[in-house]
Amino acid sequence: MQGRNCTTGKSSTAFKQELLKNLLRGLRARTDACAFSAMSVHERKRAVKSSADVAMAAARGVGARWPKAILAAAAASTSSNRSSCQVRSSRFRRVARRCFFREKRRGPAAGVAAASSVDVARRLVRRRTMALRKVIPGGDAAMDEASLLREAMDYVVHLRAQVDVLRRVSEAMQIRSSLLRYAPSSIHGQEASSSMRQ
Amino acid sequence: MSSRRSRGGVSEEEINELISRLQTLLPSARRRGASQASTTKLLKETCSYIKSLHREVDDLSDRLSDLMASMDQNSPGAEIIRSLLR
């Protein structure tokens, strides 16, 4: 049985580390450009969520379609969002451009058969995959059911990794800030490190 | 080899194989074992699973956002977190 390898085991750790690295960089870039305290609560939450998604998409790279969709959406919202905070996040624009370039080089998708029975079948398939397409970034693109299923699997696997990384980061930060509050002497996150062990 | 090419060149078997692989990712796979749910049901379940993962990401991002706002601005927490993964 071949088919694409869903990220499990060893490569999952590598992906999470890449995600974490991207996340920390992205968050730092945003806080450097515009102090978190200057943002509204809503803007701050949107910034963190966007950083998390961009970090996940960048860590995944070009093996799937959904990362490009996330990066494209993030780049679009940054350029249109001329409000209080202008973050010059050239990094994910660079990644988005690289992803787009590769997509163009691959050339157009296969032609469409004109037989009416094929159209009917395709319409039925399209209807039942409609809900799924809405929740997968880039899922609304023209894709046969098999590709959509592969995208779904890939996306689920990496979403779970994203949840895991975010949870660990929150826990580590929480532990650290409570440690600082009650024992300001030099304390390293030793409780947090035990939770990070694979 | 009777592969019905009714989905624009993709065989029925391939779809079924993908569906069963997808099923192993869903939370219900751990509970019920290898039960043969219909494709439509599995697609719906995948949909709601993705939505629940989205909600988790949103909640965690919110929590992280609050934590960051209440911490010092020079983000030394990043150093600690990086050292945890070495």
Side-chain angles (χ1 to χ4, degrees), chain A residues 1-4 17 20 24 27-28 31 36 44-45 48-49 121-122 125 128-129 131-132 135-136 144-146 149-150 153 155-157 159-160 162-163 166-167 169-170 172-174 176 189 192-193 196, chain B residues 6-8 10 14-15 17-19 21-22 25 30 39-40 43 46-47 49-51 53-54 56-58 60-69 71-73 75-82 84-85:
Chain A
M1 171 160 67
Q2 47 246 67
R4 196 165 316 157
Q17 286 180 331
L20 175 65
L24 295 176
L27 289 173
R28 186 174 301 141
T31 52
F36 257 31
R44 203 173 59 217
K45 291 185 174 184
V48 173
K49 172 83 182 13
R122 194 170 288 140
V125 164
R128 77 178 176 189
T129 55
L132 190 57
V135 293
I136 297 175
D144 61 80
E145 193 175 25
L149 292 175
R150 277 189 223 107
M153 278 192 275
Y155 187 49
V156 163
V157 165
L159 259 184
R160 300 213 287 221
Q162 184 193 38
V163 167
L166 285 173
R167 189 173 288 137
V169 170
S170 306
M173 278 198 179
Q174 204 142 29
R176 183 193 172 273
S193 67
M196 292 295 239
Chain B
S6 64
R7 288 188 173 86
V10 178
E14 189 179 358
I15 297 285
E17 198 224 294
L18 289 170
I19 289 282
R21 271 168 56 191
L22 182 59
L25 292 177
R30 294 174 223 142
T39 300
T40 311
L43 289 176
T46 305
C47 209
Y49 186 40
I50 291 180
K51 282 190 198 159
L53 287 172
H54 282 167
E56 272 198 87
V57 170
D58 280 345
L60 287 168
S61 301
D62 286 354
R63 199 193 307 173
L64 194 56
S65 160
D66 292 338
L67 282 170
M68 287 185 69
M71 275 176 67
D72 325 326
Q73 274 316 110
S75 65
E79 317 295 325
I80 290 192
I81 293 159
R82 241 182 285 116
L84 294 173
L85 281 187

Side-chain angles (χ1 to χ4, degrees), chain A residues 55-92:
Chain A
M56 172 174 69
R60 180 64 185 90
V62 296
R65 248 177 255 232
W66 57 266
K68 290 182 209 106
I70 290 179
L71 293 173
S77 76
T78 306
S79 55
S80 67
N81 195 8
R82 306 261 163 220
S83 63
S84 53
C85 231
Q86 181 78 352
V87 180
R88 202 157 34 107
S89 34
S90 52
R91 197 176 166 273
F92 70 67

Side-chain angles (χ1 to χ4, degrees), chain A residues 22 50 80 84 105 110 134 195:
Chain A
N22 294 340
S50 166
S80 67
S84 53
R105 268 200 286 163
K134 285 195 190 136
S195 82

